[in-house]
Amino acid sequence: METSDFTPPETLLIRPAAIFAFMRIFGYLVTAILMLLLAWRFWPGLTWFSLTAILIAAYRYWYIRHIKYLITAEYLQICQGLIFKRVDTVELFRVKDYVLIQPVWLQIMRLMDLNLKTTDPENRNLWLRGIPCSDLVETLRKRVLATRRNNGVYELN
C-alpha cells in the first residue's frame, strides 16, 4: 500500500473582534442611555425608544460577531447574515491589490481593516473589517501567487 504526502490545504477562519463590534454599536448604546434619562426626567414614553435602540445595538453586535472570513489555498469566502445569509466567494487568483487600513482607534485596539481589490466583476472590493493585526497580507500574497502559478494565470498590465 502506497502512502500519500498529500495534506489538505490550511484554512484560516477570521472573525471581527468583539471590541470592534462593541465600538460599532457604541452610538446606539449612548442613544439608549440618553433616551432612558430623558424618559425618567420628562416623559416615560421615551422608554420605548431606548428599548428600540438597545435591540438594534444587540442585533448589530450579533451580526458583526457572526461574520466569517474563510481563506483557503484557492478561494476567499465571506459569510454574513443572521436571518438572510449571504456568502461571497472569490478565487484567490483574482485578488489584484491589498490595502491595509488602520485608523488611530484600530491601532489602539490592535485591529486592522483589509481592503482587497479584485478583478471579479461581482466583488470589486472585499473588506475584511475589524480583524486582529497579523501577517495576513503576507499570507494572502503568498497564497495568491501560489494559486496563480497552479492555475497558470498570468497578470497582464
Side-chain angles (χ1 to χ4, degrees):
M1 184 150 193
E2 192 176 311
T3 60
S4 173
D5 292 333
F6 175 78
T7 57
E10 181 184 336
T11 60
L12 297 172
L13 179 63
I14 303 169
R15 292 178 181 252
I19 189 74
F20 174 77
F22 178 76
M23 291 303 294
R24 298 292 291 190
I25 66 162
F26 186 73
Y28 291 110
L29 295 178
V30 169
T31 302
I33 291 169
L34 287 175
M35 287 295 157
L36 202 56
L37 289 174
L38 288 173
W40 175 67
R41 178 77 171 114
F42 297 110
W43 184 54
L46 291 175
T47 306
W48 291 106
F49 290 109
S50 177
L51 181 62
T52 303
I54 289 172
L55 290 175
I56 291 171
Y59 176 79
R60 288 293 299 160
Y61 182 84
W62 195 25
Y63 181 88
I64 292 170
R65 289 295 292 154
H66 279 81
I67 295 173
K68 297 177 201 166
Y69 306 115
L70 180 68
I71 304 167
T72 68
E74 297 192 8
Y75 61 86
L76 166 68
Q77 196 172 56
I78 300 175
C79 304
Q80 54 191 0
L82 296 173
I83 299 169
F84 301 102
K85 298 275 185 184
R86 178 183 172 130
V87 178
D88 290 326
T89 304
V90 175
E91 298 291 331
L92 282 182
F93 67 82
R94 291 186 174 272
V95 175
K96 195 86 162 142
D97 198 12
Y98 317 87
V99 180
L100 181 66
I101 301 168
Q102 274 189 305
V104 173
W105 69 280
L106 283 180
Q107 290 178 31
I108 292 170
M109 294 184 287
R110 301 193 47 82
L111 299 174
M112 65 183 185
D113 287 346
L114 183 60
N115 182 10
L116 301 175
K117 298 183 179 185
T118 69
T119 59
D120 187 42
E122 186 69 26
N123 299 306
R124 297 232 181 255
N125 287 318
L126 294 175
W127 283 93
L128 283 66
R129 295 183 187 266
I131 59 177
C133 282
S134 64
D135 61 342
L136 181 62
V137 174
E138 188 61 30
T139 304
L140 265 174
R141 192 180 76 70
K142 288 178 183 175
R143 288 186 180 198
V144 166
L145 292 175
T147 305
R148 284 182 181 167
R149 190 172 37 251
N150 290 342
N151 291 335
V153 175
Y154 299 100
E155 183 179 341
L156 299 174
N157 287 329

